[in-house]
Amino acid sequence: MALTLQEKIEDPRQGVYLIGTTPPKTGTDDTKLQAIAEKLLGRLHEIEYDGVVVYDIQDESSRTNVPRPFPFKETIDPRHYSGLLRRLSQLDVITYKSVAQRSAGEFNQWLDTTYQEYNLNNLVLVGSPSSSGDIKLSLNDAYSHLGEHDHDFFLGGVTIAERHASKGNEHERLLTKTDQGCKFFISQAVYNAQATIDLITSYARSCRQQGLTPQRIILTFTPCGGETTLDFMQWLGISVPEATKWRMLDADNTLSESVRICRENLDLILRSCAHLGVPLGLNIESLTNRKEEIDASINLYRLLKATMELSLAERLIA
């Protein structure tokens, strides 16, 4: 019998391989929504993957004074798209939820509806992009409400290696979020391998010192097709070292070079962290709807999954 996504995430002997996507824009009718979902799954039909991550896209302009490279467009309810993808693919989904915009009562109602009407239980909660603005519910409070809720959710959290590079305490956030119920973590897109290695190393050492079992960290990778996409990546807070930036932009084919860089980064992370006992996974996304970048993300998935599978096999026979 096939393992569920939850069972795979919780079993360190298993690889976990996900595809990240965003819901269609607000106003998309059901017929077009079905066509969009079928087109996505059609692109994925030749690869084996464990599930889909559906993001909750928010306007993050409060986080930075830099203008957003792409205009913000509101999307349909991520749960609606998650439910559709789950029905069409017969695979599990992980649904992101930004919690800052709802009161505690509204959030509890959202949890009821998510479980009872949408039949979704794999969640990643996301807090406000900045401390400014109207925050009706903090991430910590949302974790508390979910922990007290009647329904059984499988909860994940977000981890950002760039925060560890600047503050040195992201591993402590992972430990705190684990205490709050998180069973896995999904990273921001990786272009700075060393920042990710430092985070995983600090996390592994803290778990070892405290006698804790590390939770799985699912590493996100995305291709970059040009300067506009790179600007957007950096606007989102993704750390791209200067040498990496110019290596991509000066290449004959920026998109192909970005795929090579992602492959090298994953290989470096695996070689540096395989001995630490932190189970890893992959989440591959495209940050734009450009066909070239979407196609590249599928190729990137194939390449990185093969890299991860080889590392996992070597670890199991060691």
Side-chain angles (χ1 to χ4, degrees):
M1 185 175 178
L3 296 176
T4 66
L5 180 56
Q6 177 175 341
E7 288 171 334
K8 284 192 173 186
I9 289 175
E10 292 184 322
D11 184 349
R13 299 168 299 176
Q14 299 291 327
V16 174
Y17 306 103
L18 305 173
I19 297 292
T21 190
T22 58
K25 64 182 180 181
T26 298
T28 303
D29 62 43
D30 287 343
T31 301
K32 188 172 183 180
L33 183 64
Q34 175 102 4
I36 292 171
E38 290 175 346
K39 186 175 182 179
L40 170 64
L41 296 176
R43 285 192 172 109
L44 303 178
H45 81 281
E46 293 183 355
I47 64 174
E48 292 184 1
Y49 60 102
D50 296 315
V52 177
V53 177
V54 178
Y55 299 114
D56 186 6
I57 303 300
Q58 302 297 317
D59 183 1
E60 299 184 30
S61 56
S62 63
R63 182 179 46 78
T64 176
N65 293 324
V66 178
R68 198 179 199 274
F70 295 132
F72 171 71
K73 295 180 180 179
E74 291 189 4
T75 68
I76 65 167
D77 189 331
R79 296 175 299 177
H80 190 39
Y81 198 45
S82 289
L84 178 59
L85 290 173
R86 184 179 183 185
R87 289 194 301 273
L88 293 175
S89 69
Q90 296 299 300
L91 292 173
D92 288 327
V93 296
I94 295 173
T95 307
Y96 271 52
K97 173 57 186 169
S98 177
V99 302
Q101 299 86 0
R102 295 172 181 262
S103 66
E106 291 171 328
F107 179 63
N108 282 322
Q109 186 176 25
W110 183 91
L111 291 173
D112 285 333
T113 305
T114 299
Y115 194 91
Q116 295 171 353
E117 297 184 17
Y118 289 96
N119 194 28
L120 301 172
N121 70 322
N122 301 320
L123 300 180
V124 170
L125 302 185
V126 181
S128 174
S130 74
S131 58
S132 62
D134 183 18
I135 301 175
K136 296 182 179 179
L137 185 68
S138 71
L139 183 58
N140 287 336
D141 287 342
Y143 283 143
S144 296
H145 286 290
L146 188 142
E148 297 169 356
H149 203 268
D150 293 336
H151 303 302
D152 185 22
F153 289 97
F154 186 56
L155 178 64
V158 170
T159 185
I160 300 175
E162 286 82 352
R163 284 196 303 225
H164 193 71
S166 62
K167 299 181 179 180
N169 65 350
E170 184 69 7
H171 63 296
E172 296 174 0
R173 290 173 181 258
L174 299 188
L175 295 173
T176 298
K177 288 181 178 182
T178 298
D179 287 340
Q180 294 169 316
C182 289
K183 303 296 185 182
F184 64 96
F185 300 97
I186 298 180
S187 81
Q188 184 168 260
V190 175
Y191 266 89
N192 185 336
Q194 192 58 53
T196 299
I197 291 167
D198 291 344
L199 167 60
I200 295 172
T201 301
S202 295
Y203 177 55
R205 292 189 75 251
S206 291
C207 287
R208 186 168 62 251
Q209 291 167 355
Q210 298 182 37
L212 302 174
T213 300
Q215 305 288 20
R216 188 181 296 270
I217 297 178
I218 299 171
L219 303 174
T220 299
F221 291 87
T222 183
C224 174
E227 190 167 3
T228 303
T229 302
L230 179 59
D231 288 343
F232 186 46
M233 286 164 47
Q234 293 179 312
W235 185 87
L236 288 170
I238 298 168
S239 172
V240 182
E242 189 78 1
T244 301
K245 169 184 174 180
W246 294 118
R247 178 179 163 186
M248 287 191 291
L249 296 183
D250 290 343
D252 292 336
N253 188 318
T254 296
L255 193 55
S256 296
E257 194 66 24
S258 76
V259 170
R260 280 190 284 271
I261 288 168
C262 288
R263 164 66 173 80
E264 292 170 9
N265 282 340
L266 177 60
D267 188 58
L268 179 58
I269 292 167
L270 293 175
R271 285 190 284 110
S272 302
C273 300
H275 66 288
L276 296 175
V278 179
L280 302 177
L282 287 178
N283 174 43
I284 309 300
E285 65 182 12
S286 173
L287 289 174
T288 76
N289 59 6
R290 292 178 57 214
K291 182 179 184 302
E292 295 84 357
E293 293 193 8
I294 294 173
D295 290 343
S297 70
I298 302 302
N299 292 331
L300 178 63
Y301 176 90
R302 289 191 179 98
L303 184 60
L304 297 195
K305 181 181 179 183
T307 303
M308 184 77 84
E309 288 279 81
L310 179 60
S311 175
L312 182 62
E314 290 174 342
R315 197 151 34 97
L316 290 177
I317 64 174

